[in-house]
Amino acid sequence: MTQAESMSTMSKEMQECVAACMECHSVCEETMSSCMQMGGQAQMQIMRALIDCAEMTRMCADMMMRRSPLSAEMCAMCAKACEMCAEACMSMPDDAQMMRCAEACRRCVQTCRAMSGMAM
């Protein structure tokens, strides 16, 4: 089964959540690269949040696509990781990449919260 076939059998809400997770994962990865170029000790807390969020969103999307019975709990954990990452990114409000990442994280929080309350 291809990813497109797998997506077509999912609910619209689940498809939106998978898409939000994948977008958030991608933006977190880009933001990590940007952070590494900046350097500085203050970036370590942000980097940890970015790494956790990138890993959680990828795993969450994977679990939903394969219909894992744990995906609702994973969505709840993913929402928490994304929330922490958004807060960390907001600590640098003048950085456009950080603000882009915070926004992607917030979108993912909304969709993951919705999915964590649904039976899958």
Side-chain angles (χ1 to χ4, degrees):
M1 183 182 291
T2 69
Q3 186 173 353
E5 288 170 333
S6 173
M7 293 290 277
S8 70
T9 60
M10 286 187 207
S11 70
K12 184 177 187 281
E13 294 80 13
M14 191 182 293
Q15 289 177 28
E16 288 172 359
C17 191
V18 168
C21 284
M22 296 307 290
E23 171 67 12
C24 189
H25 170 77
S26 176
V27 174
C28 283
E29 291 286 341
E30 292 168 19
T31 306
M32 277 189 265
S33 178
S34 176
C35 251
M36 285 189 267
Q37 291 172 356
M38 285 187 244
Q41 200 56 24
Q43 305 300 337
M44 290 309 292
Q45 184 176 358
I46 296 171
M47 285 296 290
R48 281 187 198 99
L50 287 165
I51 292 166
D52 286 351
C53 190
E55 291 298 314
M56 291 291 278
T57 52
R58 183 189 51 76
M59 186 183 299
C60 189
D62 288 350
M63 290 176 83
M64 282 186 284
M65 285 189 283
R66 68 175 175 260
R67 308 294 196 284
S68 170
L70 300 174
S71 58
E73 289 101 319
M74 188 64 193
C75 283
M77 288 289 297
C78 188
K80 187 173 183 174
C82 289
E83 224 167 22
M84 291 173 64
C85 190
E87 285 179 31
C89 289
M90 291 301 294
S91 71
M92 296 183 69
D94 295 332
D95 186 292
Q97 181 64 36
M98 291 289 179
M99 294 302 96
R100 187 171 158 246
C101 188
E103 183 56 36
C105 288
R106 283 192 206 101
R107 277 192 307 274
C108 196
V109 167
Q110 290 176 335
T111 61
C112 281
R113 279 191 180 144
M115 290 308 297
S116 68
M118 294 177 67
M120 294 202 195

